[in-house]
Amino acid sequence: MPASFSGRCLVCLLLLLCTSFSGGNPADPAMTTQDANQTQVNSVTKMQPGHDSSGPDAATQELKPASKQNTNISEYEIVLPGVSEKNISLANPTKVELTCKLDENSNLKNPQVTWKKGSETISHTSKTQNSWTIELTISGSRELGSYTCILKAEKEVSATFHLHVPIIDGREKPIISYEGDIAVMVCTTVYNPKAWAWYMTNGTELVSIDKMLPVDKFQIKSPSVSINRLEVVKLTREDCGVYWCEAAFELGPSKSRFELRVLSIAAPLKPFVAVVAEVAILLTTIVLYEVYSKRKAKGDEKQFDQTEKL
Protein backbone atom coordinates (compact mmCIF):
# COMPACT_ATOMS: atom_id res chain seq x y z
CA MET A 1 0.00 0.00 0.00
CA PRO A 2 2.69 2.55 0.86
CA ALA A 3 4.44 1.79 -2.47
CA SER A 4 1.21 2.17 -4.38
CA PHE A 5 0.40 5.40 -2.67
CA SER A 6 3.81 6.89 -3.37
CA GLY A 7 3.48 5.93 -7.07
CA ARG A 8 0.16 7.74 -7.31
CA CYS A 9 1.66 10.82 -5.74
CA LEU A 10 4.47 10.83 -8.28
CA VAL A 11 2.01 10.73 -11.18
CA CYS A 12 0.06 13.65 -9.70
CA LEU A 13 3.21 15.71 -9.34
CA LEU A 14 4.09 15.12 -13.02
CA LEU A 15 0.63 16.24 -14.14
CA LEU A 16 0.90 19.41 -12.07
CA LEU A 17 4.30 20.19 -13.61
CA CYS A 18 2.98 19.75 -17.18
CA THR A 19 0.02 22.04 -16.45
CA SER A 20 2.27 24.73 -15.07
CA PHE A 21 4.60 24.68 -18.15
CA SER A 22 1.66 25.02 -20.55
CA GLY A 23 0.41 28.13 -18.81
CA GLY A 24 -2.66 26.43 -17.52
CA ASN A 25 -4.31 26.49 -21.01
CA PRO A 26 -4.61 23.21 -22.85
CA ALA A 27 -3.69 23.25 -26.52
CA ASP A 28 -6.57 23.99 -28.92
CA PRO A 29 -6.60 21.30 -31.66
CA ALA A 30 -8.61 23.42 -34.09
CA MET A 31 -6.29 26.37 -33.80
CA THR A 32 -3.25 24.21 -34.22
CA THR A 33 -4.63 22.67 -37.44
CA GLN A 34 -5.46 26.10 -38.90
CA ASP A 35 -1.98 27.40 -38.14
CA ALA A 36 -0.44 24.35 -39.78
CA ASN A 37 -2.61 24.74 -42.87
CA GLN A 38 -1.78 28.42 -43.14
CA THR A 39 1.93 27.63 -42.91
CA GLN A 40 1.55 25.05 -45.68
CA VAL A 41 -0.30 27.52 -47.94
CA ASN A 42 2.42 30.13 -47.44
CA SER A 43 5.09 27.59 -48.30
CA VAL A 44 3.30 26.53 -51.51
CA THR A 45 2.76 30.15 -52.52
CA LYS A 46 6.47 30.91 -52.23
CA MET A 47 7.35 27.87 -54.32
CA GLN A 48 4.96 28.63 -57.22
CA PRO A 49 6.83 29.41 -60.50
CA GLY A 50 6.55 32.98 -61.76
CA HIS A 51 5.38 34.31 -58.38
CA ASP A 52 7.46 37.05 -56.86
CA SER A 53 6.84 38.27 -53.34
CA SER A 54 8.28 41.67 -54.20
CA GLY A 55 4.91 43.02 -55.45
CA PRO A 56 2.35 43.01 -58.30
CA ASP A 57 4.84 44.05 -61.03
CA ALA A 58 6.25 40.56 -61.36
CA ALA A 59 2.78 39.08 -61.82
CA THR A 60 2.00 41.67 -64.50
CA GLN A 61 5.12 40.73 -66.43
CA GLU A 62 4.09 37.09 -66.40
CA LEU A 63 0.68 37.93 -67.93
CA LYS A 64 1.99 40.02 -70.80
CA PRO A 65 2.85 37.15 -73.19
CA ALA A 66 -0.52 35.49 -72.56
CA SER A 67 -2.33 38.74 -73.26
CA LYS A 68 -0.42 39.14 -76.53
CA GLN A 69 -1.22 35.58 -77.53
CA ASN A 70 -4.94 36.13 -76.96
CA THR A 71 -5.01 38.98 -79.49
CA ASN A 72 -3.90 36.62 -82.29
CA ILE A 73 -1.19 38.86 -83.69
CA SER A 74 0.75 37.39 -86.61
CA GLU A 75 4.43 38.30 -86.54
CA TYR A 76 6.72 38.67 -89.59
CA GLU A 77 10.38 39.62 -89.58
CA ILE A 78 13.11 40.52 -92.07
CA VAL A 79 16.75 40.50 -90.98
CA LEU A 80 19.02 42.99 -92.73
CA PRO A 81 21.24 42.76 -94.63
CA GLY A 82 19.71 39.76 -96.37
CA VAL A 83 16.49 38.98 -98.22
CA SER A 84 14.84 42.36 -98.53
CA GLU A 85 11.29 41.34 -99.53
CA LYS A 86 8.60 39.09 -98.06
CA ASN A 87 5.16 38.23 -99.46
CA ILE A 88 2.39 37.78 -96.89
CA SER A 89 -0.99 36.28 -97.84
CA LEU A 90 -3.97 37.37 -95.73
CA ALA A 91 -7.46 35.98 -96.28
CA ASN A 92 -9.29 37.34 -93.21
CA PRO A 93 -9.11 40.47 -91.03
CA THR A 94 -6.30 40.20 -88.50
CA LYS A 95 -3.53 42.04 -86.69
CA VAL A 96 0.06 41.79 -87.89
CA GLU A 97 3.42 42.90 -86.58
CA LEU A 98 6.12 43.75 -89.11
CA THR A 99 9.68 43.88 -87.80
CA CYS A 100 12.89 45.00 -89.42
CA LYS A 101 15.86 43.61 -87.54
CA LEU A 102 19.50 44.53 -87.99
CA ASP A 103 21.93 41.63 -87.98
CA GLU A 104 24.28 41.59 -84.99
CA ASN A 105 27.30 41.47 -87.29
CA SER A 106 26.15 44.39 -89.41
CA ASN A 107 28.40 47.40 -89.78
CA LEU A 108 25.39 49.73 -89.82
CA LYS A 109 25.49 51.49 -86.45
CA ASN A 110 22.72 53.65 -84.95
CA PRO A 111 20.66 53.97 -88.15
CA GLN A 112 17.80 56.38 -88.61
CA VAL A 113 14.74 54.23 -89.34
CA THR A 114 11.60 55.23 -91.25
CA TRP A 115 8.52 53.12 -92.06
CA LYS A 116 6.49 53.95 -95.16
CA LYS A 117 3.49 52.75 -97.10
CA GLY A 118 3.86 54.43 -100.46
CA SER A 119 4.56 58.07 -99.63
CA GLU A 120 2.89 57.86 -96.20
CA THR A 121 5.19 57.73 -93.19
CA ILE A 122 4.25 55.40 -90.32
CA SER A 123 5.56 55.70 -86.76
CA HIS A 124 7.04 52.75 -84.84
CA THR A 125 4.90 50.76 -82.47
CA SER A 126 7.95 49.48 -80.59
CA LYS A 127 11.71 49.33 -81.01
CA THR A 128 14.80 47.86 -79.44
CA GLN A 129 18.48 48.46 -80.05
CA ASN A 130 18.50 46.48 -83.31
CA SER A 131 14.82 46.03 -84.30
CA TRP A 132 11.91 48.28 -85.27
CA THR A 133 8.29 47.11 -85.32
CA ILE A 134 4.93 48.41 -86.51
CA GLU A 135 1.59 46.86 -85.61
CA LEU A 136 -1.21 46.96 -88.18
CA THR A 137 -4.90 46.15 -87.97
CA ILE A 138 -5.94 44.69 -91.33
CA SER A 139 -9.71 45.09 -91.60
CA GLY A 140 -10.11 45.59 -95.36
CA SER A 141 -8.38 45.83 -98.70
CA ARG A 142 -7.29 49.43 -98.07
CA GLU A 143 -4.82 48.24 -95.42
CA LEU A 144 -3.18 45.83 -97.85
CA GLY A 145 -0.15 46.88 -99.85
CA SER A 146 3.60 47.27 -99.48
CA TYR A 147 5.18 48.44 -96.23
CA THR A 148 8.86 49.43 -96.32
CA CYS A 149 11.34 50.12 -93.54
CA ILE A 150 14.34 52.28 -94.51
CA LEU A 151 17.53 52.25 -92.43
CA LYS A 152 19.90 55.17 -93.02
CA ALA A 153 23.41 55.52 -91.62
CA GLU A 154 26.73 55.35 -93.49
CA LYS A 155 24.68 53.62 -96.20
CA GLU A 156 21.00 52.93 -96.78
CA VAL A 157 19.26 49.56 -96.69
CA SER A 158 15.56 48.75 -96.86
CA ALA A 159 13.11 45.86 -96.56
CA THR A 160 9.58 45.55 -97.92
CA PHE A 161 6.60 43.50 -96.74
CA HIS A 162 3.96 42.85 -99.43
CA LEU A 163 0.53 42.24 -97.87
CA HIS A 164 -2.03 40.79 -100.30
CA VAL A 165 -4.96 38.40 -100.59
CA PRO A 166 -4.03 34.76 -101.32
CA ILE A 167 -2.84 33.98 -104.84
CA ILE A 168 -4.96 31.55 -106.87
CA ASP A 169 -3.06 28.75 -108.59
CA GLY A 170 -4.13 28.45 -112.21
CA ARG A 171 -2.27 27.77 -115.45
CA GLU A 172 0.26 30.10 -117.06
CA LYS A 173 0.55 28.28 -120.40
CA PRO A 174 -2.36 28.25 -122.88
CA ILE A 175 -4.76 25.30 -122.88
CA ILE A 176 -4.79 23.76 -126.37
CA SER A 177 -7.66 21.47 -127.39
CA TYR A 178 -9.56 20.42 -130.52
CA GLU A 179 -13.06 20.93 -131.81
CA GLY A 180 -15.56 18.61 -130.18
CA ASP A 181 -13.36 17.89 -127.15
CA ILE A 182 -13.69 19.07 -123.50
CA ALA A 183 -11.49 21.76 -121.93
CA VAL A 184 -10.96 21.70 -118.14
CA MET A 185 -9.71 24.65 -116.09
CA VAL A 186 -8.91 24.19 -112.37
CA CYS A 187 -8.31 26.84 -109.68
CA THR A 188 -6.88 25.96 -106.25
CA THR A 189 -5.90 27.82 -103.10
CA VAL A 190 -4.62 26.83 -99.67
CA TYR A 191 -7.28 29.03 -98.04
CA ASN A 192 -11.07 28.67 -97.95
CA PRO A 193 -12.76 31.45 -99.94
CA LYS A 194 -16.33 32.53 -99.30
CA ALA A 195 -17.35 32.00 -102.95
CA TRP A 196 -16.06 31.21 -106.45
CA ALA A 197 -16.94 32.82 -109.78
CA TRP A 198 -15.95 32.30 -113.44
CA TYR A 199 -15.78 34.90 -116.21
CA MET A 200 -15.08 34.97 -119.94
CA THR A 201 -13.48 37.95 -121.64
CA ASN A 202 -15.64 39.54 -124.31
CA GLY A 203 -13.68 42.41 -125.76
CA THR A 204 -12.92 44.71 -122.85
CA GLU A 205 -15.54 43.40 -120.40
CA LEU A 206 -15.99 40.22 -118.38
CA VAL A 207 -19.08 38.08 -118.89
CA SER A 208 -20.21 36.00 -115.92
CA ILE A 209 -20.32 32.33 -116.83
CA ASP A 210 -22.36 31.50 -113.73
CA LYS A 211 -25.29 33.71 -114.74
CA MET A 212 -25.08 34.63 -118.43
CA LEU A 213 -23.78 31.67 -120.42
CA PRO A 214 -25.67 28.38 -121.11
CA VAL A 215 -25.40 25.63 -118.52
CA ASP A 216 -25.18 22.82 -121.09
CA LYS A 217 -22.04 24.44 -122.50
CA PHE A 218 -20.25 25.39 -119.25
CA GLN A 219 -20.22 23.17 -116.16
CA ILE A 220 -18.83 24.43 -112.85
CA LYS A 221 -17.82 21.83 -110.26
CA SER A 222 -16.36 22.19 -106.76
CA PRO A 223 -14.66 19.05 -105.37
CA SER A 224 -13.83 20.97 -102.16
CA VAL A 225 -14.02 24.47 -100.70
CA SER A 226 -10.49 25.30 -101.87
CA ILE A 227 -10.82 23.79 -105.39
CA ASN A 228 -13.06 24.92 -108.24
CA ARG A 229 -13.14 23.77 -111.86
CA LEU A 230 -14.76 24.84 -115.12
CA GLU A 231 -15.52 22.37 -117.94
CA VAL A 232 -16.27 23.62 -121.44
CA VAL A 233 -17.89 20.84 -123.50
CA LYS A 234 -18.30 20.39 -127.29
CA LEU A 235 -15.60 22.90 -128.11
CA THR A 236 -15.87 25.13 -131.16
CA ARG A 237 -13.63 27.87 -132.53
CA GLU A 238 -15.93 30.43 -130.84
CA ASP A 239 -14.87 29.13 -127.42
CA CYS A 240 -11.34 30.48 -127.88
CA GLY A 241 -10.41 33.30 -125.56
CA VAL A 242 -9.39 34.29 -122.04
CA TYR A 243 -11.17 32.94 -118.96
CA TRP A 244 -10.90 34.08 -115.33
CA CYS A 245 -11.63 32.34 -112.04
CA GLU A 246 -12.22 34.51 -108.99
CA ALA A 247 -12.10 33.57 -105.32
CA ALA A 248 -13.82 35.94 -102.89
CA PHE A 249 -12.08 36.40 -99.53
CA GLU A 250 -13.10 38.67 -96.67
CA LEU A 251 -10.26 41.06 -97.52
CA GLY A 252 -11.04 41.11 -101.25
CA PRO A 253 -11.12 39.01 -104.45
CA SER A 254 -8.24 37.17 -106.10
CA LYS A 255 -8.17 36.12 -109.78
CA SER A 256 -6.34 33.67 -112.02
CA ARG A 257 -6.14 33.81 -115.84
CA PHE A 258 -6.58 31.02 -118.39
CA GLU A 259 -6.16 31.14 -122.17
CA LEU A 260 -8.03 28.58 -124.28
CA ARG A 261 -7.09 27.76 -127.88
CA VAL A 262 -9.32 25.50 -129.95
CA LEU A 263 -7.87 23.87 -133.09
CA SER A 264 -9.71 22.18 -135.97
CA ILE A 265 -9.46 18.44 -136.45
CA ALA A 266 -7.35 19.00 -139.58
CA ALA A 267 -4.80 20.99 -137.62
CA PRO A 268 -2.64 17.96 -136.74
CA LEU A 269 -2.46 17.07 -140.47
CA LYS A 270 -1.05 20.43 -141.47
CA PRO A 271 2.59 19.57 -140.66
CA PHE A 272 2.28 16.34 -142.66
CA VAL A 273 0.73 18.16 -145.62
CA ALA A 274 3.51 20.74 -145.46
CA VAL A 275 6.19 18.02 -145.55
CA VAL A 276 4.52 16.29 -148.52
CA ALA A 277 4.31 19.59 -150.38
CA GLU A 278 8.00 20.28 -149.78
CA VAL A 279 8.95 16.81 -151.03
CA ALA A 280 6.81 17.25 -154.14
CA ILE A 281 8.41 20.61 -154.89
CA LEU A 282 11.88 19.13 -154.43
CA LEU A 283 11.13 16.17 -156.78
CA THR A 284 9.66 18.49 -159.40
CA THR A 285 12.74 20.67 -159.26
CA ILE A 286 15.03 17.63 -159.70
CA VAL A 287 13.03 16.33 -162.69
CA LEU A 288 13.03 19.69 -164.39
CA TYR A 289 16.76 20.01 -163.83
CA GLU A 290 17.37 16.57 -165.39
CA VAL A 291 15.26 17.41 -168.46
CA TYR A 292 17.04 20.69 -168.87
CA SER A 293 20.45 19.00 -168.54
CA LYS A 294 19.59 16.40 -171.19
CA ARG A 295 18.34 18.99 -173.65
CA LYS A 296 21.40 21.10 -173.09
CA ALA A 297 23.67 18.07 -173.69
CA LYS A 298 21.92 17.26 -176.99
CA GLY A 299 22.21 20.87 -178.12
CA ASP A 300 25.93 20.87 -177.36
CA GLU A 301 26.44 17.64 -179.40
CA LYS A 302 24.68 19.07 -182.47
CA GLN A 303 26.74 22.24 -182.29
CA PHE A 304 29.93 20.15 -182.02
CA ASP A 305 28.96 18.10 -185.10
CA GLN A 306 28.29 21.20 -187.15
CA THR A 307 31.60 22.64 -186.09
CA GLU A 308 33.42 19.49 -187.26
CA LYS A 309 31.66 19.62 -190.62
CA LEU A 310 32.72 23.19 -191.10
Side-chain angles (χ1 to χ4, degrees), residues 15-249:
L15 289 174
L16 288 173
L17 289 172
C18 291
T19 304
S20 62
F21 281 118
S22 62
N25 294 325
D28 189 352
M31 183 63 69
T32 304
T33 304
Q34 183 178 0
D35 293 341
N37 291 339
Q38 184 65 39
T39 304
Q40 184 178 2
V41 170
N42 292 337
S43 301
V44 172
T45 304
K46 291 179 180 179
M47 293 173 63
Q48 285 179 350
H51 182 83
D52 191 349
S53 59
S54 60
D57 292 339
T60 304
Q61 292 175 0
E62 284 294 323
L63 291 175
K64 281 183 179 179
S67 175
K68 185 176 180 179
Q69 184 176 1
N70 292 335
T71 57
N72 293 326
I73 298 178
S74 302
E75 300 178 357
Y76 304 93
E77 180 182 276
I78 294 180
V79 179
L80 293 172
V83 178
S84 59
E85 292 190 7
K86 179 172 286 190
N87 291 306
I88 303 171
S89 295
L90 300 174
N92 303 311
T94 184
K95 288 185 177 181
V96 297
E97 277 190 358
L98 308 180
T99 301
C100 279
K101 185 176 182 181
L102 196 61
D103 187 84
E104 296 178 355
N105 299 322
S106 174
N107 295 325
L108 204 64
K109 302 300 180 183
N110 301 321
Q112 181 182 358
V113 181
T114 305
W115 279 92
K116 285 189 175 184
K117 181 189 177 185
S119 58
E120 178 187 359
T121 302
I122 304 172
S123 58
H124 309 309
T125 304
S126 62
K127 64 178 181 178
T128 64
Q129 183 177 359
N130 291 323
S131 67
W132 299 264
T133 302
I134 58 172
E135 182 178 317
L136 305 172
T137 300
I138 309 299
S139 58
S141 58
R142 64 183 179 276
E143 285 87 19
L144 300 177
S146 298
Y147 293 82
T148 303
C149 64
I150 304 170
L151 282 66
K152 290 183 179 180
E154 299 84 5
K155 60 179 181 178
E156 179 178 313
V157 295
S158 63
T160 303
F161 298 84
H162 302 286
L163 277 59
H164 53 75
V165 293
I167 297 174
I168 305 302
D169 296 328
R171 183 185 176 94
E172 296 181 359
K173 296 182 179 180
I175 300 173
I176 300 175
S177 191
Y178 299 96
E179 292 179 336
D181 287 346
I182 298 176
V184 179
M185 289 165 263
V186 181
C187 279
T188 61
T189 177
V190 296
Y191 298 85
N192 294 333
K194 297 189 297 181
W196 289 93
W198 286 88
Y199 301 92
M200 182 180 182
T201 303
N202 184 13
T204 58
E205 63 180 9
L206 298 179
V207 179
S208 175
I209 295 176
D210 309 62
K211 301 176 181 179
M212 304 290 295
L213 300 178
V215 180
D216 58 343
K217 181 71 174 177
F218 301 92
Q219 299 177 3
I220 299 175
K221 300 180 180 180
S222 184
S224 67
V225 180
S226 60
I227 301 175
N228 204 263
R229 56 188 289 165
L230 172 66
E231 295 182 359
V232 186
V233 301
K234 300 177 182 179
L235 289 174
T236 62
R237 298 299 296 272
E238 287 74 19
D239 297 325
C240 293
V242 177
Y243 294 78
W244 297 86
C245 77
E246 180 182 88
F249 298 99

Side-chain angles (χ1 to χ4, degrees), residues 249-284:
F249 298 99
E250 290 190 26
L251 292 178
S254 180
K255 292 181 180 180
S256 183
R257 180 181 182 274
F258 295 84
E259 181 181 355
L260 176 61
R261 298 178 185 177
V262 181
L263 305 178
S264 64
I265 299 176
L269 299 176
K270 288 182 178 179
F272 177 74
V273 173
V275 171
V276 171
E278 290 180 358
V279 171
I281 293 172
L282 181 60
L283 291 175
T284 302

